Amino acid sequence: MEHSQNTSNGEPSREGDRPVGNVKVTRQNWLDAAREALIANGVEGVKIQVLGAQLNVSRSSFYWYFKSRQDLLNALLDHWQKTNTAALVAKTEEPAQTITEAVGNVFRCVINPQLFNTRLDFAIRDWARRSPKVRKILHASENKRLEALHAMFVRHGYEDLEAVARARILYYMQIGYDDAQLGEPMEDRSRLLPSYLLGFTGQQASQDEIAALVRYADAVEAQKQGD
């Protein structure tokens, strides 16, 4: 019978085929570190040895959770789809009485880093320029987002072709806005909010809708400042 032992560097020891003991670094820790490396340095910066040094563990810890570096990269792509893409799609499907409220729900997603990590989105786009496989995954994910936005407009009475156009305008404007890195204060964005909603939908938002969205944006900004 094989007995479990804690290693001196805090890595899990082996009992059968699973990590036990003093688990200093988890799979999520490795994934978080890899995500930040991807954002900061691109895919070339996602290196097992470098990540291990940051986490203060040896390479052997990595292989408890991932088969290879490619396995880790695949997990990053899966994480991105299950967070950014899933969050945006979910917001398009939230109940809304009006199209302006529905678009406001989408705004709630893209301004909240807890829901949608813009920096990660651009890191994936940069990676896709170097990898046909990732580019294919990116295109599939973007199509899913656009289809969800299109369906949102259709549910609120827009003809199919107009719904396609408005979905693209909303989505690609948001990408362009983020890519421009304007650093626009939330106060300025909030002041333009009624005009943005009118431009995206052709409809005037109610004062209650605008006020609710501004409160949400202010809360997100306060959270960022607190962090």
Side-chain angles (χ1 to χ4, degrees):
M1 177 177 179
E2 186 176 357
H3 297 285
S4 64
Q5 296 179 344
N6 293 342
T7 59
S8 60
N9 62 359
E11 296 173 12
S13 59
R14 192 179 288 276
E15 182 179 84
D17 59 355
R18 63 184 179 84
V20 296
N22 179 23
V23 181
K24 179 180 179 182
V25 174
T26 66
R27 185 180 189 277
Q28 189 60 50
N29 292 142
W30 279 100
L31 189 59
D32 290 344
R35 183 187 65 242
E36 292 308 309
L38 177 67
I39 290 171
N41 302 308
V43 67
E44 295 83 1
V46 183
K47 299 178 179 179
I48 299 172
Q49 186 171 355
V50 173
L51 297 177
Q54 292 175 356
L55 295 169
N56 196 29
V57 294
S58 68
R59 289 169 59 96
S60 61
S61 169
F62 173 84
Y63 291 104
W64 286 105
Y65 305 112
F66 301 97
K67 296 177 182 179
S68 62
R69 177 176 180 270
Q70 186 59 53
D71 190 27
L72 173 62
L73 295 179
N74 291 341
L76 280 174
L77 286 169
D78 185 60
H79 166 78
W80 167 70
Q81 293 183 86
K82 288 180 177 178
T83 52
N84 280 23
T85 296
L88 192 146
V89 170
K91 283 297 181 183
T92 69
E93 296 172 347
E94 282 192 358
Q97 296 298 312
T98 65
I99 185 58
T100 48
E101 182 184 359
V103 172
N105 288 337
V106 175
F107 283 172
R108 283 174 168 82
C109 178
V110 295
I111 67 175
N112 187 345
Q114 298 300 317
L115 297 177
F116 191 97
N117 188 330
T118 300
R119 294 167 62 237
L120 176 60
D121 226 54
F122 279 98
I124 297 294
R125 294 178 193 284
D126 183 68
W127 183 5
R129 296 187 183 98
R130 296 162 171 75
S131 167
K133 173 189 172 183
V134 176
R135 185 159 58 248
K136 183 177 180 180
I137 293 171
L138 172 63
H139 288 168
S141 186
E142 290 203 304
N143 286 338
K144 188 174 182 179
R145 298 176 186 186
L146 286 166
E147 287 168 3
L149 290 166
H150 166 253
M152 180 185 75
F153 280 104
V154 168
R155 285 196 303 275
H156 287 275
Y158 291 80
E159 295 294 333
D160 186 72
L161 189 59
E162 183 179 1
V164 169
R166 289 190 181 277
R168 292 183 179 185
I169 291 168
L170 176 58
Y171 183 65
Y172 292 126
M173 177 274 178
Q174 187 62 52
I175 291 175
Y177 182 93
D178 292 335
D179 191 33
Q181 297 182 339
L182 298 176
E184 184 180 40
M186 188 61 71
E187 181 181 354
D188 291 347
R189 296 179 70 176
S190 296
R191 186 164 55 247
L192 289 168
L193 181 58
S195 297
Y196 281 148
L197 290 170
L198 177 60
F200 289 133
T201 68
Q203 304 290 327
Q204 292 280 359
S206 72
Q207 290 302 312
D208 286 345
E209 289 171 351
I210 294 169
L213 192 50
V214 169
R215 286 195 300 271
Y216 182 89
D218 288 344
V220 169
E221 191 66 18
Q223 180 64 45
K224 289 179 183 178
Q225 297 299 326
D227 295 342

